[in-house]
Amino acid sequence: MIGRLFGRVNPREAMIRDLHVRINAAARAPALYTALGVPDTVEGRFECLSLHVILVLRRLNRLPDPAGEVAQDLVNAVFLQLDSSLRESGIGDFGVPKRMKKLGAAFYGRAAGYDAALDAADPDALARSLARNVLGVDHAADAAGLARYVMASDRALASLDLDALVVAGPRFAAVQPPAGTAEQSGVSR
């Protein structure tokens, strides 16, 4: 804390901050909202951020140490940001812990569901989970494009070692609009 007052930044903190910033940027890519139907709402942005963090954590959890420590630092940074956002939105000090508990349960529940579907290489199960959690719809068909994006991103991240992940940043797939949309046919909206 005192070091920050005098301009000294812990290199590990800087690394985690940079990783977090890159994940935030990926989760805010406009095509996720316009082409794949992620709702551009507070909840939709939370779901999209959670999805991207979960994908990076999934990769970190498959790498040798010190990747586990990096994963824990990333989770801490994400939840500190969420806590701060809740406080800035006007939620009182007594309400923040209750909301953080709900957000944590939602995050870890989604992580387990996405992991299971990705481990099983089951695009239909992944699409159902994404439809329910991210898109807020009951039909997995509506989430097929998002499921393809998630599976492709998982494959892209699987090719990265720890150094590449934290130095160059996480690699996510390009967004492919669903078949038959105006964006796929070359017609812009």
Side-chain angles (χ1 to χ4, degrees):
M1 177 74 176
I2 292 175
R4 282 187 240 170
L5 293 174
F6 297 105
R8 284 182 265 148
V9 176
N10 178 332
R12 186 173 174 134
E13 285 179 21
M15 175 189 69
I16 296 300
R17 184 187 62 236
D18 291 345
L19 180 59
H20 187 195
V21 165
R22 288 176 171 152
I23 294 168
N24 271 329
R28 291 182 178 165
L32 293 166
Y33 302 89
T34 59
L36 298 182
V38 175
D40 193 9
T41 62
V42 171
E43 293 83 9
R45 289 187 294 274
F46 166 76
E47 293 295 346
C48 202
L49 173 64
S50 294
L51 177 60
H52 285 80
V53 170
I54 289 166
L55 286 168
V56 171
L57 290 175
R58 185 175 154 77
R59 179 61 187 145
L60 287 170
N61 289 331
R62 287 164 171 70
L63 293 171
D65 284 334
E69 294 173 18
V70 172
Q72 185 58 58
D73 288 347
L74 177 60
V75 168
N76 293 344
V78 168
F79 279 92
L80 280 172
Q81 175 197 17
L82 292 172
D83 182 278
S84 177
S85 295
L86 288 173
R87 292 178 192 281
E88 288 176 11
S89 71
I91 294 173
D93 288 339
F94 294 111
V96 170
K98 184 187 223 182
R99 299 248 180 144
M100 289 301 295
K101 187 175 180 179
K102 282 184 179 180
L103 289 174
F107 179 85
Y108 286 109
R110 283 149 175 74
Y114 301 155
D115 269 346
L118 288 166
D119 287 344
D122 187 345
D124 293 332
L126 182 60
R128 283 190 302 276
S129 187
L130 292 167
R132 182 178 53 254
N133 296 323
V134 179
L135 303 180
V137 296
D138 293 328
H139 305 290
D142 297 335
L146 185 56
R148 282 191 299 277
Y149 167 79
V150 170
M151 293 180 91
S153 293
D154 189 54
R155 287 189 301 273
L157 288 164
S159 68
L160 302 177
D161 64 12
L162 183 59
D163 287 338
L165 189 61
V166 297
V167 174
R171 191 177 309 149
F172 298 98
V175 174
Q176 298 296 320
T181 64
E183 289 162 10
Q184 182 158 19
S185 64
V187 179
S188 61
R189 291 184 178 177

